[in-house]
Amino acid sequence: MLNPDDSGSRERGISRRTFLRSAVGTTMVDAASGFLDDAKAAEGSGVPVAVAGPEPVPVTLKVNGVERTLRLEPRVTLAEALRGPLGLTGTKIGCNRGACSACTVWIDGVTVCSCMILAIDIGARSVTTIEGLAQGETLHPVQAAFIEHDALQCGYCTPGLVMSCAALLRNRPDPAAEEVRAAISGHYCRCGTYPHVVAATLTAAKARQA
Amino acid sequence: MATDETQRTEAFPSGIVSVGLSEVKRQIPSDEPPPLPPNAELAVIGKPTARQNGRAKVTGAIRFTVDISLPNMLHGGILRSPLPHAAVAAIDVVAAALVPGVRAILPIATPDAILRYVGAPVAAVAADSPAAAEEALRLIRVDYKPLPFVADLDVARNPASPPVHDSASAPAGDAHGFPAPAGLPLHGNVRGPATVTRGVISQGLAEADIVVEGEYRTAVQTHCCLEPHAIVADWRTDGLTVYMSTQFTAGVRHELAAAFDLPLSRVRVIVDGMGGGFGSKSSLGNYGRFAVALSRQAQAPVRLVLDREEEQMDAGNRPGTWQQLRVGAKRDGTLTAISVLSYGTAGVAVGAGVGSFAEALYACPNFESAQYDVFINAGPGCAMRGPGNVQGAFALEQAIDELAGRLSIDPLALRDRIDPSPVRREERRIGADRIGWHRRRASGADAGPVKRGLGVAQSLWGANVQINASCEVRVMRDGSVEVLSSVQDIGTGIGTVLAQVVAEVLGLRPEAITVRIGDTEFPAGPPSYGSRTTASITPPARTAAWRVLQALCREAAPVLNAAPEQLAARDGKIVVLGDPGRGMKFADAAARLRTDWISAVASRSDDYGGFRRRIGDAAIALQDLGGVQFAEVAVDTETGIIRVERVVAVQDCGRPMNPRQIESQVQGGVLMGISFALFEERIIDQNSGRMVNPNLEQYKLLGARETPEIEVAVLENYQGQSATDAYGIAEPSNIATAPAIANAVYNAIGVRLRTTPMTPAAVLAALGKIPARS
């Protein structure tokens, strides 16, 4: 970390936390658990503001079908909550700012960079991580096809890629190669597995339809 | 080494399979296995084999270093210099020490220390939580006295530019330099030259009918491993255990023992999942030392993981270069002179040369190179996939392409004349056929705004071997088998290859072999750099498996009423040669073992035909590695966008062990090469000395949408040099891509781009449609 006296983010008056709050507050507030709604409603009204944190607050998360209540500081991202207290380390952090998509999970079936959303904002929505994709010992067709096509090398970006490709097949059971490339265009794989990822996803699509 | 009595002579297959095999006789140690036949005659080796840890990777179950969590583990962080050049006048950690949860503070830059780049470590802390560590770093007060700085290669060459180093601090060069021999003179910020001379260059130029001259630049490229540099250090009174995302567990163990004055026996290094290195995780690194020192101070495990900004600023990079080439030739293409002058910068470090590519690739009687390191106030460079040669190839292979054009000789025909390698000759033939080279037209032949072109370039890389690499194979009484080595799988799939080798010897399936690697508790394996892993560890794996099989056959022989040397292992059985009816299950033979398991440990012997050179524990094989790559591009002359539409990569690695993993790795080399050619550039603001794109959104990498169709072809090239005759492929596959694209772009638009990255702006400037970037 750089010395804060010289930090560009402070000069601009935007911290990561306020950015997250404003982004989440404007786009996802209706589904959030209520802290931000309370805070927004109370702003400027003279009514005491319900402030969450900075101490840990109870947060209930439904992950891979299981509900767990944790005590988390409001600044904890979903990725951090998954990897830390929930022990679901399959979700990876690569850049921690939504640029590499290694941390991709599903929220109500939609792919999301889990480093870009706070755990307290998940609310009642259900989270699916790489650990929740297989049915017991039976791999998801995308997972099986990734092995078959060697669509992984170091494997660090793999869970995120698998989540995006599996989500694509829910919406587009028979995608064209170009659609697969578009679906994973936000993912970085430094080992260069993209050709095999595309091939594996097309194979998985056929397997699901068979 | 073996004496005459301990050696025997064997006949090995020799040559390129698609050209024709012959035999070569080699003296080999008598305790090593007989020659391995060509892949066509084998059951497992050379067959596409699924990755042994594939399931763990697609389910997220594999544990990377960043996933390690130990009881009472602390979280470390590093305070870094905000200035490119500064003296530390004072440092005050009192407030930081009072932050609740802070358990250790490590001063790094003590008063009067000089900080030489933005991101240089100043202090480190460990605390109960990442937030407490972050807060403590915020509260460390440092009084920086700014010093004049220079952050540009060209400016730093000027003797009047601010000196980055003094004579004491300037690194002299070490084995990681490419090249950077010790004892080179230092003038201002310029260290060098490192020179190589062959023949008389002035005479060669005078004899030439044509001389092509050109200046080339390559930008600084950063490694961008998806897993950041990461370590969990657990210092205890009875020894140190370190979990580390490293390319060399055994090497880090040595570094730790030396740095902390510990016996090797008290240092253990472990890595399971390893999220990419590409050269940047070859050694302990400063952050590794900090984590261990913090753990020692706090008497608790410390986790230290760099964030992406730290990765971009202080985790290594491929040095940027400026090169001037002169190539002289006769009218028939015969080369008479090659001259290379290079100035490169690895920031505050050395090793920014352009390799031996121009010296070694082509037959040319007169050669000279002078390579300089230029210091600037920027983070230190280090090895990155094909260090030196990637930069050198970008220049030389364009110069050769330009020469072909000037001589009106086809670029492949010219190389047939000047390249003595029979391997690359075959690779050119195969590649030309696959890409459809006959379709190549004159430069700029397309009429419309989008112009297509074909280009070719060649690769050259030394076949490295780590001669102290060891491996153990165990057979258990229940017939299960383990292969053990400290060698780490950084994504190349070496564990799978080890399982294949052992399975081939023991007549089993690779899935049946338990692979236990990435831990210095096991026999010391090779590093995963220099494309040397497979070459170093597969021969001892085969030898160890062969020795353990001999022991097993001694147990089985009385039961089968045969002599042990009459027995062989195949299809899960121990069988009597020439009498297929007689045999017993492998597991039944194992059940006869006197002990719970038997084991053999083997280490890498010298290449049977000798080495070209030995440097400590490393050696360079007699034959080179290489490849030839062809690129087809479409250049939009209105937007300046280059699209690589197709790449054909023809590579060689001795004996290919696992074609599926090789294809993956070559695709990765090609894609990193395209990314280097078109997108990647570390940009430093010259007013502040700061990298302005220390992230993954403004530091642009190739993604899926920029990925072309890639066709990979791999030669089977046998030389009878070891128990497996296998060599590496990671780096050779990354060297030819960028110049092949540049040559294809020239073929498309008739203008040569001599600078990376070849951005749309650079294309439009080259076409004269916008002013050139100054």
Side-chain angles (χ1 to χ4, degrees):
Chain A
M1 117 141 6
L2 290 172
N3 188 307
D5 294 341
D6 204 52
S7 132
S9 62
R10 176 165 294 194
E11 281 160 22
R12 289 196 308 273
I14 300 169
S15 71
R16 171 195 170 78
R17 207 187 305 179
T18 55
F19 172 76
L20 278 174
R21 193 172 71 163
S22 61
V24 169
T26 51
T27 59
M28 297 178 179
V29 87
D30 55 336
S33 63
F35 291 113
L36 294 175
D37 295 336
D38 295 346
K40 280 172 74 80
E43 264 171 32
S45 66
V47 178
V49 175
V51 176
E55 291 74 28
V57 295
V59 178
T60 299
L61 290 174
K62 188 174 172 192
V63 181
N64 300 332
V66 179
E67 268 192 19
R68 284 270 307 272
T69 299
L70 310 167
R71 291 192 62 81
L72 300 174
E73 292 180 16
R75 62 177 159 185
V76 171
T77 65
L78 176 60
E80 290 165 344
L82 292 171
R83 291 181 45 78
L86 291 173
L88 297 170
T89 55
T91 297
K92 294 291 183 275
I93 296 175
C95 68
N96 215 17
R97 53 197 280 169
C100 77
S101 300
C103 64
T104 299
V105 300
W106 298 349
I107 297 179
D108 282 349
V110 177
T111 54
V112 171
C113 283
S114 61
C115 77
M116 295 295 284
I117 184 164
L118 298 175
I120 59 165
D121 286 331
I122 300 302
R125 291 173 293 174
S126 75
V127 178
T128 307
T129 72
I130 188 70
E131 290 89 349
L133 200 59
Q135 301 289 321
E137 287 298 298
T138 307
L139 295 178
H140 186 282
V142 167
Q143 291 173 309
F146 265 54
I147 297 174
E148 182 191 338
H149 285 269
D150 203 40
L152 52 111
Q153 291 181 50
C154 82
Y156 195 82
C157 70
T158 305
L161 276 164
V162 167
M163 295 308 287
S164 281
C165 294
L168 171 70
L169 296 191
R170 283 163 61 114
N171 302 322
R172 297 281 297 163
D174 188 20
E178 192 48 47
E179 290 174 287
V180 181
R181 281 191 282 268
I184 62 170
S185 61
H187 289 260
Y188 279 136
C189 171
R190 191 51 150 167
C191 301
T193 60
Y194 306 120
H196 284 170
V197 168
V198 173
T201 305
L202 297 177
T203 294
K206 288 193 180 67
R208 287 172 86 238
Q209 290 175 335
Chain B
M1 200 52 243
T3 65
D4 285 348
E5 296 81 57
T6 61
Q7 299 222 331
R8 66 179 199 270
T9 302
E10 293 271 17
F12 284 78
S14 169
I16 303 163
V17 167
S18 59
V19 175
L21 287 183
S22 58
E23 260 186 19
V24 61
K25 289 232 164 43
R26 301 283 190 201
Q27 287 275 109
I28 74 167
S30 54
D31 59 354
E32 296 208 359
L36 191 60
N39 281 351
E41 299 170 35
L42 301 177
V44 184
I45 290 175
K47 305 293 178 283
T49 304
R51 208 170 273 262
Q52 147 264 339
N53 51 12
R55 189 183 177 98
K57 287 183 176 177
V58 300
T59 56
I62 190 169
R63 304 283 278 184
F64 290 81
T65 301
V66 297
D67 303 329
I68 300 291
S69 182
L70 302 180
N72 305 314
M73 186 175 78
L74 307 178
H75 300 266
I78 300 172
L79 180 70
R80 296 180 176 277
S81 173
L83 299 174
H85 202 183
V88 175
I91 181 163
D92 177 359
V93 300
V94 172
L98 293 174
V99 172
V102 168
R103 298 276 302 279
I105 298 185
L106 186 71
I108 297 165
T110 48
D112 295 333
I114 305 291
L115 303 168
R116 292 190 166 83
Y117 57 97
V118 174
V122 176
V125 303
D128 290 342
S129 70
E134 204 174 307
E135 183 65 10
L137 292 176
R138 237 190 296 278
L139 292 174
I140 295 174
R141 289 285 135 219
V142 186
D143 185 3
Y144 298 102
K145 183 168 168 280
L147 299 170
F149 70 92
V150 57
D152 178 79
L153 169 63
D154 296 342
V155 177
R157 282 173 59 182
N158 184 336
S161 64
V164 173
H165 283 292
D166 54 48
S167 59
S169 75
D174 57 32
H176 292 88
F178 301 97
L184 297 177
L186 176 70
H187 297 292
N189 288 314
V190 179
R191 167 83 79 194
T195 57
V196 175
T197 305
R198 179 173 74 218
V200 181
I201 198 73
S202 55
Q203 195 180 320
L205 290 169
E207 288 169 3
D209 294 321
I210 282 185
V211 176
V212 295
E213 291 190 51
E215 290 181 14
Y216 301 84
R217 280 181 191 275
T218 60
V220 172
Q221 181 183 29
T222 61
H223 297 73
C224 298
C225 314
L226 262 286
E227 182 187 33
H229 287 61
I231 179 171
V232 177
D234 189 8
W235 180 285
R236 294 176 188 237
T237 48
D238 61 348
L240 170 66
T241 301
V242 157
Y243 305 81
M244 189 170 193
S245 183
T246 177
Q247 296 176 237
F248 193 12
T249 54
V252 166
R253 183 195 210 188
H254 274 273
E255 287 186 82
L256 285 167
F260 293 92
D261 198 20
L262 292 167
L264 282 171
S265 60
R266 295 289 177 92
V267 181
R268 181 177 179 187
V269 181
I270 301 170
V271 63
D272 186 8
M274 198 287 190
F278 312 108
S280 71
K281 295 177 182 169
S282 301
S283 55
L284 177 60
N286 57 18
Y287 69 101
R289 272 185 289 277
F290 303 156
V292 174
L294 288 166
S295 176
R296 180 172 62 179
Q297 198 184 121
Q299 292 292 303
V302 170
R303 175 186 195 265
L304 184 58
V305 178
L306 302 194
D307 67 21
R308 189 52 58 183
E309 187 172 0
E310 292 176 294
E311 284 291 297
Q312 292 286 34
M313 295 189 309
D314 194 23
N317 56 67
R318 183 193 298 285
T321 66
W322 174 91
Q323 302 173 63
Q324 184 184 62
L325 265 67
R326 284 180 298 166
V327 178
K330 294 289 201 186
R331 271 188 216 298
D332 68 357
T334 310
L335 298 180
T336 61
I338 298 176
S339 161
V340 177
L341 172 66
S342 79
Y343 290 85
T345 183
V348 298
V350 289
V354 296
S356 56
F357 191 80
E359 175 192 344
L361 185 60
Y362 295 116
C364 181
N366 306 297
F367 174 83
E368 69 169 18
S369 68
Q371 305 192 18
Y372 294 86
D373 270 299
V374 182
F375 297 115
I376 66 170
N377 292 106
C382 68
M384 181 169 180
R385 200 170 193 168
N389 278 23
V390 164
Q391 299 95 309
F394 183 72
L396 182 76
E397 284 297 89
Q398 287 207 68
I400 296 299
D401 195 70
E402 187 172 359
L403 179 65
R406 292 271 298 279
L407 293 167
S408 298
I409 300 178
D410 179 274
L412 293 179
L414 175 61
R415 287 177 173 88
D416 283 343
R417 175 169 292 274
I418 63 178
D419 182 352
S421 162
V423 177
R424 279 188 299 271
R425 176 179 299 271
E426 176 67 356
E427 288 169 339
R428 286 191 297 273
R429 184 190 68 75
I430 293 170
D433 183 51
R434 299 271 178 101
I435 196 82
W437 187 252
H438 63 275
R439 296 180 294 125
R440 184 172 178 271
R441 296 170 300 163
S443 287
D446 271 326
V450 176
K451 298 180 187 297
R452 288 192 159 68
L454 288 175
V456 65
Q458 305 205 123
S459 169
L460 177 71
W461 191 249
N464 295 310
V465 176
Q466 189 83 1
I467 57 162
N468 60 336
S470 310
C471 192
E472 179 178 359
V473 175
R474 294 177 183 166
V475 174
M476 310 283 159
R477 234 181 203 174
D478 66 351
S480 60
V481 177
E482 285 182 324
V483 55
L484 308 96
S485 170
S486 79
V487 67
Q488 50 289 312
D489 183 354
I490 68 169
T492 59
I494 190 63
T496 313
V497 175
L498 287 175
Q500 288 178 270
V501 170
V502 174
E504 183 75 46
V505 175
L506 300 181
L508 302 173
R509 296 304 307 160
E511 311 83 70
I513 312 298
T514 300
V515 177
R516 287 152 66 78
I517 58 174
D519 187 337
T520 57
E521 295 290 281
F522 309 139
S528 297
Y529 56 66
S531 302
R532 76 186 62 189
T533 319
T534 302
S536 304
I537 196 65
T538 59
R542 178 162 180 251
T543 300
W546 179 74
R547 289 180 191 163
V548 95
L549 175 64
Q550 287 183 309
L552 192 65
C553 286
R554 281 194 292 274
E555 302 285 346
V559 186
L560 294 170
N561 234 337
E565 52 275 13
Q566 288 178 284
L567 302 183
R570 62 181 58 142
D571 300 329
K573 289 181 191 152
I574 305 293
V575 296
V576 180
L577 285 169
D579 188 356
R582 264 158 77 203
M584 66 195 296
K585 282 184 184 165
F586 184 88
D588 291 342
R592 299 186 55 80
L593 291 173
R594 184 179 287 270
T595 55
D596 267 12
W597 44 272
I598 54 171
S599 153
V601 182
S603 58
R604 182 64 156 88
S605 55
D606 286 3
D607 272 13
Y608 299 147
F611 287 124
R612 179 180 304 177
R613 200 146 61 95
R614 278 272 301 269
I615 314 125
D617 290 328
I620 301 174
L622 289 173
Q623 72 276 21
D624 289 320
L625 301 172
V628 180
Q629 294 188 1
F630 295 75
E632 184 163 6
V633 303
V635 184
D636 186 326
T637 56
E638 290 180 349
T639 64
I641 292 173
I642 298 169
R643 279 201 70 84
V644 181
E645 297 187 323
R646 190 156 170 250
V647 172
V648 171
V650 192
Q651 306 285 149
D652 56 274
C653 55
R655 177 193 301 273
M657 301 298 279
N658 185 342
R660 190 176 299 172
Q661 291 183 163
I662 288 172
E663 183 182 68
S664 290
Q665 222 176 343
V666 172
Q667 287 175 344
V670 167
L671 293 178
M672 196 178 277
I674 298 173
S675 199
F676 169 76
L678 300 185
F679 306 120
E680 296 188 44
E681 180 175 20
R682 180 192 71 183
I683 301 168
I684 293 182
D685 171 42
Q686 295 302 308
N687 294 317
S688 67
R690 299 175 74 117
M691 181 176 178
V692 299
N693 54 346
N695 48 49
L696 291 180
E697 61 268 22
Q698 287 138 335
Y699 184 90
K700 188 71 184 112
L701 294 172
L702 167 143
R705 278 175 152 164
E706 294 82 41
T707 295
E709 181 192 337
I710 302 171
E711 191 174 334
V712 177
V714 180
L715 297 194
E716 261 179 76
N717 179 26
Y718 299 112
Q719 303 286 328
Q721 291 288 29
S722 76
T724 61
D725 225 5
Y727 293 88
I729 198 133
E731 287 164 302
S733 66
N734 185 225
I735 291 168
T737 316
I741 293 168
N743 291 340
V745 168
Y746 177 80
N747 182 238
I749 63 175
V751 181
R752 196 164 280 287
L753 296 177
R754 302 174 197 265
T755 298
T756 73
M758 296 182 262
T759 61
V763 171
L764 294 178
L767 291 168
K769 295 187 172 184
I770 62 169
R773 180 170 120 179
S774 59

